[in-house]
Structure formats: structure tokens, C-alpha cells
Amino acid sequence: MTTLPTFHSLRGAAVEAISAADLAVKTELAQEAARRWQRRTLSLRSPLDRPVPLRPGRPEKPVLTPPTQVKKRSLGSLKGRIALLHSIAHIELNAVDLALDIVARFASETVPNSFFDGWMKVAFEEAKHFRMVRQRLNDLGADYGDLPAHDGLWQAAHDTRNDLTARLAVVPLILEARGLDVTPALQARMRETGDFETAAVLDVIYEDEKGHVAVGAKWFRFLCARERKDPAATFQQLVRANFRGPLKAPFNDIARAEAGLTPSFYRSMTASTNLS
């Protein structure tokens, strides 16, 4: 059984989980904090909480490199499937920390407790995803850390650390929504290659990610309504100020719309038009 650090509140648990370099501790603590918060046996904040770290705890491996130096391999080979799973594991690990960070960093915001309900459910499911993908890597004779990975995902958290609305625009409504765009093709490719086990893992991730984007869209719209701002126009303004590069088509319009992210948000911001 994993020994968890002591914490005194939801924010304190999130801080400890973000800080943990042991990934078994990180994922178990994220899930245990979600359980206790759901049962309402945790306060939101405590004077004993440690400060939110600027960077999450990480093991020595994988080696972090610029995105351009992460090799792409054919998904038809075992090495290619391992590389894909490794990159997904890295995304899911960052997603755990991003969900925890939005709870810890914005625990003093004037939002309902249901805001934290949503994000702790996201943290719980991202921890589940990381474990599933890591287990599938193990099944294929590999492990998380065997290959290099890039550090671009956490940059989005750092850039939006002082603005909750910007954080919601960039993390769930761009980074998570991108998963809705690319995952169906990966699911189909895994089935074509006969790797039904990996396809089944991707099925779980895809269905859960719809809910994660929906949590982001719900609270983004909530904050915009409170300030009497147009959500689509505000999204575009925040993305131009806080996101590096254009949004990439093609878009999974149906899955995005089901999650509350309609084309009016992103259609005008593809590579051909996002010049700012």
C-alpha cells in the first residue's frame, strides 16, 4: 500500500500530490483527495497548506526535450505503439497535475464548491488514465520514462497561473479538446493493427475527456456570464494572449459541441487566420 503524505485540506492534498515525484504517490493521493472531498470530509483550505509549487514533482526519467526533438514512429510497429503510449502517458501525467493545480492555485476564488467537485473528478480520472496507459506500456515490455518527452504542456499552466479564465481557455478548451480531435483516428489505427487492448484504453480516455472539456466549458461560461462577457470573443482574446501558435484543424465538431465548445469559439483561429 502506498504511504501518502499528511494533508489538512483539499488544497493541501492537491499541493502534496503536485509536489510528489513518486508517481504512485501522486496518482493515489489525487484519487484519495477526490474521494474525501466527494464525501465532504475535507475542508477546502487550511492555514497549514504549503504553497503551490511552480513545477510538479517528477522522477528522474523521462528526459525532457523540446517538442521538435521527440521522434515520431510508425504506429504499425511495436516500437511505434510504445512511443505513442509513452507520449499519451506523459500527457495524462501532466493532466493530473494540471487538474490539481487549478484546484490548489485557485482555491481562494469566489466560485461554488461544485467547481472543485468537477476538477477533482477530472484529477481522479486523469490519474486512472495514467495508470491504465502505464500498465499497457508494461504489458508491451516498456515503462514510462523509457523515452524522452517534451515539457510544453506545463508551460500552459505557468503562463496562466494568475488568471483562472485564461487557464480554463487554454487547458481544457484547447489542450484537452485537442484530444477529442485526434483520439478517434488513433483508436481506429490501433484496431487496424490488431492492438485491441490499446484501443480499449483509448476508448476509456476518449469518453472521459469529453466530460473534462465539458467541465472547462461550463466554468468558462460561468465566469464570462458573471462578468457579462461574450464567451466566444473572450476565448479568442485569451487564446491570442496566452497560447503559442494557432489552433490545429481538423476539429471533432460533434464531440466538442457535446462538451459545450461550439465552433464559434475556435473556427476563426485556425492556422490560416490566427496571425496575432
Side-chain angles (χ1 to χ4, degrees), residues 5 24 32 55-56 64 69-70 87 97 100 112 168 179-180 224 248 265:
E32 180 60 18
R55 293 190 59 80
L64 297 179
Q69 294 182 21
V70 177
S87 67
D97 286 316
L100 293 168
L168 293 171
L180 300 184
C224 288
K248 296 178 181 178
F265 277 70

Side-chain angles (χ1 to χ4, degrees), residues 84-215:
L84 170 68
L85 283 162
H86 194 278
S87 67
I88 293 172
H90 187 64
I91 290 168
E92 297 300 332
L93 177 60
N94 275 275
V96 175
D97 286 316
L98 286 166
L100 293 168
D101 187 82
I102 205 170
V103 169
R105 193 169 299 280
F106 299 103
S108 296
E109 290 280 329
T110 51
V111 290
N113 275 354
S114 53
F115 174 89
F116 303 101
D117 295 347
W119 287 110
M120 288 311 298
K121 184 174 189 290
V122 172
F124 187 99
E125 291 177 347
E126 301 292 17
K128 175 186 71 174
H129 297 167
F130 176 76
R131 288 175 173 170
M132 291 175 67
V133 177
R134 190 175 194 179
Q135 182 58 57
R136 185 63 190 139
L137 278 170
N138 294 165
D139 295 344
L140 297 176
D143 196 8
Y144 178 67
D146 288 352
L147 299 172
H150 71 80
D151 198 32
L153 291 168
W154 191 253
Q155 188 64 45
H158 180 77
D159 290 349
T160 57
R161 64 193 182 279
N162 297 319
D163 186 336
L164 176 56
T165 312
R167 172 67 64 87
L168 293 171
V170 172
V171 175
L173 302 189
I174 295 181
L175 300 180
E176 293 248 26
R178 183 65 181 152
L180 300 184
D181 302 333
V182 302
T183 304
L186 296 175
Q187 292 167 297
R189 188 74 178 97
M190 289 301 102
R191 290 190 170 90
E192 287 172 9
T193 62
D195 191 343
F196 296 102
E197 294 83 358
T198 297
V201 171
L202 293 175
D203 290 346
V204 173
I205 291 174
Y206 180 65
E207 291 305 317
D208 286 349
E209 296 294 350
K210 291 179 185 177
H212 301 178
V213 176
V215 171

